[in-house]
């Protein structure tokens, strides 16, 4: 397993009382995404635990795209991956943020 961490800045803080959101399932070719409000001084932290080693640049590109579309701050995103493709990763991230923000994403 490989552990990757990323930080993003420049988003709008979310309501700290929002309930965490969990989408997806840990299984072959899929992943689970947990998004939760955490006081991070305006940052967004992403932690990925993945079975697919050596794809850090791909993860970074997918996350850059996600944060270009969803300006978040004071949020932690935890991802457990079992070899999902970038398209599945994007889908799960979008599902998680939509669920987390109550359809206001």
């Amino acid at each position: 397993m490989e552990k990757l961490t990323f930080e993003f800045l420049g988003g709008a803080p979310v309501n700290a009382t929002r309930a965490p959101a969990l989408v997806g399932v840990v299984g072959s070719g899929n992943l689970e995404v947990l998004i939760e409000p955490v006081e991070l001084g305006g940052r967004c932290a992403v932690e990925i635990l993945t079975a697919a080693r050596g794809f850090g640049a791909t993860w970074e590109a997918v996350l850059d795209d996600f944060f270009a579309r969803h300006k978040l701050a004071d949020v932690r995103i935890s991802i457990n991956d079992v070899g999902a493709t970038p398209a599945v990763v994007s889908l799960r991230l979008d599902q998680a943020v939509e669920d987390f923000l109550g359809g206001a994403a």
Side-chain angles (χ1 to χ4, degrees), residues 21-63:
L22 177 67
V23 299
V25 62
V26 179
S28 180
N30 209 332
L31 73 157
E32 97 184 337
V33 176
L34 171 65
I35 184 170
E36 57 192 328
V38 177
E39 176 54 50
L40 296 171
R43 295 174 291 122
C44 182
V46 180
E47 182 176 289
I48 301 160
L49 189 59
T50 179
R53 293 181 166 276
F55 289 90
T58 302
W59 279 102
E60 187 171 16
V62 170
L63 292 171

Side-chain angles (χ1 to χ4, degrees), residues 30-103:
N30 209 332
L31 73 157
E32 97 184 337
V33 176
L34 171 65
I35 184 170
E36 57 192 328
V38 177
E39 176 54 50
L40 296 171
R43 295 174 291 122
C44 182
V46 180
E47 182 176 289
I48 301 160
L49 189 59
T50 179
R53 293 181 166 276
F55 289 90
T58 302
W59 279 102
E60 187 171 16
V62 170
L63 292 171
D64 284 345
D65 176 68
F66 174 77
F67 283 103
R69 292 180 286 115
H70 302 286
K71 309 289 189 198
L72 301 172
D74 293 327
V75 169
R76 178 175 43 228
I77 298 175
S78 303
I79 299 172
N80 292 314
D81 171 56
V82 188
T85 65
V88 172
V89 174
S90 290
L91 172 70
R92 292 287 179 249
L93 284 166
D94 287 345
Q95 288 174 329
V97 78
E98 185 168 330
D99 189 36
F100 180 67
L101 296 177

